[in-house]
């Protein structure tokens, strides 16, 4: 007989979007839920994110006059992700259908719990011109949340940014706040929103922290679910092929917890597990922007008990600026898309549409053979520096230059010398690019050809809002490397978020969602929030399914009494 220290219906591991969604859904169904977090801070990568959630066909789309449907979304996924046969079981048709069918349900469900959604009506899918693609509306984000409501619990949040009421949808405007009228309006709205919070005594947080804080508020404060920090999962307890409990650590040592409905893993990926990044992705080092506590422990424990994995070689890639001082890598998005900038490799040549989605940019770096130690350069004309916000400099301009993360020169020839790239190749690249900028058509990579490229461009600049000549000095070159927002591979699950073993069979009583599981969107990134949207959806599905599993077992238990 197994000795148990305590017993609950559902044990939820992690405190990000996937975990908290599962906890809230299970509690709604009447289950006794316990949430454990391995680190001393709650919120996971969700709290560090932009907070956008890709929830296609959600109810808010009709309010802004955008038509969507399950068929349209599935058509789009086939076009941008590839067919289920091409991608594999992580993106099976049943999983896609479950996501698409449940996304609007989750939107309305969380609204019922007090979530205030804002539809990012101008934020397009990342491939808006593909069949089923839409030029805005599928992404939603939570309204700023007053974190004072959390009391002392706020002191344990994983804070990546100071508490400001920023929407992810504001960022494209703030990047050009002093160069376009719409940008200035966006900046003014943020200032007014911030002042409004201060005047009313609120501490408003936006972006991913707003989502993480709202979910925590619902689970811990409204529903009364216990959440334990510094309580890492150390093992699962399996009997007759079924997960019946788990072993967790803590300040008082290990505890064995029996679970009547199951265990849900929402503990993130293996972003900062250097050995796994080397083994699965061939990387000598990692510069992830994901949660530093993500070591892949839950994935490893699942594998230890026969669980299958998929997409372990992939990640939510994107170009990043090399660390400056004590700062980690800085993910860059809008700055590479604005005019008067270009990206070249160490051969002085372009290899990608600089304005493309970050995951495609990352894949282009990999295809080019650029390991993290083989950097590229983002070249800035002085007009770019004067007109647009560049997050690369927010980590400390002085440190960035002092450590070789950026170089500056009055002429392009001098800049090539300081970058140590071939002068002739670099000169030819710039000349060709400048001709495209004058014409307004990028004939090599198509930069500025669709709504996603244009979203982060400058609408006041023509003939192409994404193209501007590299012609006026002084010039700056910023070193960029392959970064990521977290890993994409993990435990293989079915349409009910149940973990599958290496024979394709369900591991009874074990669920997973979020970056702990292999991504339903395969190797690409359909739209803003393609991590958080599926995390919320499959967490919700897991919580509901665990409840149904317990109900099905109840008659049998009663019959045996």
């Amino acid at each position: 007989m197994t000795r148990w220290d305590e017993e609950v219906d559902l044990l939820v591991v992690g405190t990000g979007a996937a975990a908290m969604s599962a906890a809230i859904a299970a509690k709604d169904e009447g289950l006794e839920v316990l949430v454990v977090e391995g680190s001393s801070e709650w919120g996971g990568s969700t709290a560090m994110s932009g907070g956008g959630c890709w929830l296609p066909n959600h109810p808010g789309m009709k309010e802004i006059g955008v038509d969507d449907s399950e068929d349209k979304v599935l058509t789009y996924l086939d076009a941008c992700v590839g067919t289920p046969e091409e991608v594999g079981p992580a993106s099976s048709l049943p999983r896609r259908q479950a996501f698409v069918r449940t996304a609007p349900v989750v939107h309305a469900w969380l609204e019922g719990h007090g979530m205030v959604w804002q539809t990012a009506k101008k934020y397009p899918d990342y491939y808006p011109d593909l069949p089923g693609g839409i030029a805005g509306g599928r992404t939603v984000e939570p309204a700023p949340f007053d974190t004072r409501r959390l009391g002392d619990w706020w002191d344990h949040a994983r804070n990546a940014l100071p508490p400001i009421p920023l929407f992810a949808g504001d960022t494209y405007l703030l990047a050009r706040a002093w160069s376009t009228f719409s940008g200035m309006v966006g900046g003014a709205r943020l200032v007014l929103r911030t002042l409004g919070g201060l005047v009313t005594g609120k501490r408003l947080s936006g972006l991913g922290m707003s989502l993480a804080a709202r979910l925590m508020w619902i689970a811990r404060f409204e529903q009364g679910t216990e959440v334990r920090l510094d309580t890492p999962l150390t093992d699962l307890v399996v009997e007759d092929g079924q997960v019946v409990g788990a072993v967790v650590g803590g300040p008082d040592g290990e505890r064995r917890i029996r679970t009547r409905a199951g265990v849900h893993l929402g503990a993130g990926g293996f972003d900062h597990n250097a050995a796994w990044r080397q083994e699965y992705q061939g990387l000598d080092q990692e510069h992830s922007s994901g949660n530093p506590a993500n070591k892949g422990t839950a994935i490893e424990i699942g594998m230890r008990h026969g669980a299958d994995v998929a997409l372990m070689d992939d990640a939510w890639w994107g170009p990043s600026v090399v660390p400056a001082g004590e700062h980690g890598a800085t993910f860059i998005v809008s700055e590479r898309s604005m005019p008067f900038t270009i990206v070249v490799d160490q051969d002085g040549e372009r290899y990608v549409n600089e304005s493309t989605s970050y995951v495609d940019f990352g894949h282009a770096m990999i295809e080019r053979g650029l390991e993290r130690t083989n950097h590229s350069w983002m070249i800035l004309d002085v007009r770019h520096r004067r007109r647009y916000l560049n997050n690369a400099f927010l980590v400390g301009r002085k440190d960035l230059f002092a450590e070789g993360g950026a170089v500056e020169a009055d002429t392009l020839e001098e800049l090539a010398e300081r970058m140590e790239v071939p002068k002739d190749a670099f000169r030819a690249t710039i000349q060709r690019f400048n001709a495209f900028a004058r014409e307004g058509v990028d004939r090599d990579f198509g930069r500025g050809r669709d709504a996603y490229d244009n979203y982060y461009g400058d609408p006041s600049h023509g003939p192409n809002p994404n193209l501007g000549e590299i012609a006026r000095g002084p010039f700056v070159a910023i070193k960029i490397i392959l970064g990521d927002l977290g890993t994409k591979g993990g435990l293989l699950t079915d349409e009910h978020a149940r973990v599958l073993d290496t024979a394709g069979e369900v591991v009874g009583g074990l669920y997973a969602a979020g970056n702990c599981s292999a991504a339903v969107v395969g190797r690409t990134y359909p739209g803003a929030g393609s991590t958080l949207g599926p995390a919320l959806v499959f967490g919700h599905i897991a919580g509901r399914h665990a409840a149904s599993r317990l109900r099905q077992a109840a008659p049998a238990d009663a019959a045996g009494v």
Side-chain angles (χ1 to χ4, degrees):
M1 295 289 291
T2 301
R3 179 185 61 81
W4 303 105
D5 295 300
E6 58 187 304
E7 184 173 337
V8 296
D9 289 330
L10 181 67
L11 178 69
V12 174
V13 182
T15 51
M20 301 313 290
S21 180
I24 295 167
K27 192 72 171 184
D28 276 351
E29 293 290 325
L31 270 61
E32 181 185 355
V33 180
L34 172 63
V35 176
V36 295
E37 164 63 49
S39 73
S40 60
E41 297 178 316
W42 57 266
S45 290
T46 299
M48 304 170 64
S49 73
C53 304
W54 199 65
L55 295 175
N57 199 30
H58 63 83
M61 296 184 72
K62 291 182 174 60
E63 297 174 8
I64 62 171
V66 177
D67 291 326
D68 204 2
S69 68
E70 291 185 17
D71 286 344
K72 185 180 288 187
V73 182
L74 291 171
T75 296
Y76 177 63
L77 290 175
D78 277 349
C80 70
V81 175
T83 65
E85 294 76 20
E86 293 170 330
V87 182
S91 190
S92 67
L93 180 58
R95 289 202 78 213
R96 293 186 188 192
Q97 290 172 329
F99 168 67
V100 174
R101 181 174 59 250
T102 312
V105 174
V106 166
H107 183 283
W109 165 65
L110 287 176
E111 266 193 335
H113 274 290
M115 184 76 75
V116 179
W117 293 114
Q118 174 166 293
T119 302
K121 58 185 178 182
K122 293 187 178 180
Y123 209 146
D125 289 337
Y126 288 176
Y127 310 93
D129 292 343
L130 289 181
I134 288 179
R138 282 175 171 160
T139 296
V140 297
E141 54 185 319
F145 182 79
D146 180 13
T147 56
R148 290 192 188 279
R149 299 169 67 184
L150 299 173
D152 294 342
W153 195 245
W154 170 250
D155 298 334
H156 303 285
R158 185 169 293 284
N159 292 311
L161 293 170
I164 53 175
L166 180 65
F167 283 105
D170 290 332
T171 56
Y172 81 107
L173 294 173
L174 295 180
R176 46 183 170 85
W178 52 87
S179 59
T180 68
F181 178 73
S182 57
M184 285 185 273
V185 171
R189 286 176 179 164
L190 175 60
V191 171
L192 290 174
R193 200 181 303 137
T194 304
L195 292 175
L198 293 174
V199 168
T200 56
K202 297 177 180 179
R203 184 176 57 211
L204 297 175
S205 282
L207 303 177
M209 178 48 72
S210 174
L211 179 61
R214 172 68 75 174
L215 294 173
M216 182 58 69
W217 168 260
I218 296 168
R220 188 174 186 272
F221 291 85
E222 290 188 345
Q223 295 183 327
T225 296
E226 182 180 1
V227 180
R228 298 178 191 171
L229 304 180
D230 293 310
T231 308
L233 177 73
T234 60
D235 204 358
L236 296 170
V237 180
V238 181
E239 295 178 357
D240 299 325
Q242 303 286 307
V243 173
V244 297
V247 183
V248 300
D252 300 322
E254 287 191 338
R255 293 182 65 80
R256 301 175 70 83
I257 303 174
R258 181 176 184 263
T259 57
R260 294 180 287 265
V263 175
H264 177 269
L265 304 178
F270 56 98
D271 318 358
H272 296 277
N273 184 327
W276 274 23
R277 299 305 294 256
Q278 173 62 46
E279 177 182 352
Y280 290 108
Q281 300 171 346
L283 304 174
D284 293 331
Q285 56 181 317
E286 48 80 16
H287 288 302
S288 178
S289 298
N291 180 3
N294 287 348
K295 305 289 186 180
T297 304
I299 301 174
E300 186 277 326
I301 291 173
M303 294 170 65
R304 192 190 308 165
H305 291 279
D308 202 0
V309 293
L311 302 176
M312 296 290 280
D313 61 327
D314 216 341
W316 305 97
W317 305 113
S320 298
V321 176
V322 294
E326 297 180 356
H327 299 279
T330 300
F331 212 70
I332 56 173
V333 181
S334 63
E335 39 276 281
R336 57 185 169 79
S337 198
M338 293 292 189
F340 311 113
T341 184
I342 185 177
V343 172
V344 300
D345 61 13
Q346 201 58 41
D347 292 326
E349 299 176 347
R350 288 179 79 203
Y351 58 90
V352 67
N353 165 11
E354 293 87 348
S355 300
T356 195
S357 71
Y358 29 90
V359 76
D360 282 353
F361 198 119
H363 283 138
M365 297 178 83
I366 294 171
E367 291 168 9
R368 190 75 169 184
L370 299 174
E371 302 291 342
R372 290 177 192 263
T373 51
N374 294 332
H375 54 264
S376 300
W377 295 94
M378 181 168 61
I379 317 301
L380 310 179
D381 180 292
V382 71
R383 288 167 289 184
H384 184 283
R385 295 163 57 195
R386 289 174 178 170
R387 298 182 186 184
Y388 313 120
L389 175 69
N390 195 309
N391 287 330
F393 295 129
L394 297 182
V395 300
R397 179 185 175 92
K398 184 177 180 181
D399 285 340
L400 194 63
F401 279 92
E403 297 179 11
V407 295
E408 185 173 11
D410 291 329
T411 67
L412 289 170
E413 288 73 17
E414 292 176 71
L415 191 70
E417 289 181 4
R418 295 181 183 179
M419 294 160 57
E420 298 182 350
V421 302
K423 287 185 181 180
D424 290 344
F426 182 61
R427 183 185 305 111
T429 296
I430 297 296
Q431 289 174 347
R432 182 173 178 81
F433 179 82
N434 285 349
F436 295 158
R438 289 190 295 271
E439 182 185 0
V441 179
D442 178 3
R443 299 190 179 279
D444 287 340
F445 299 101
R447 179 173 169 185
R449 69 187 170 200
D450 64 26
Y452 176 74
D453 284 12
N454 297 164
Y455 180 77
Y456 285 116
D458 181 351
S460 68
H461 175 79
N464 186 316
N466 299 98
L467 298 177
E469 291 186 76
I470 310 298
R472 296 185 189 176
F475 304 95
V476 168
I478 300 173
K479 193 178 292 185
I480 61 174
I481 56 171
L482 178 64
D484 63 70
L485 297 173
T487 50
K488 189 182 274 273
L491 300 172
L492 190 61
T493 58
D494 68 3
E495 66 271 23
H496 302 296
R498 298 177 298 184
V499 174
L500 303 176
D501 65 17
T502 53
E505 299 297 322
V506 171
V507 180
L510 187 60
Y511 300 86
N515 285 355
C516 198
S517 62
V520 68
V521 295
R523 298 184 180 279
T524 190
Y525 215 125
S530 292
T531 53
L532 291 177
L536 289 173
V537 167
F538 283 105
H540 174 271
I541 289 174
R544 300 287 190 191
H545 192 276
S548 69
R549 182 172 184 267
L550 186 59
R551 285 193 294 269
Q552 290 171 5
D557 291 343
V561 174

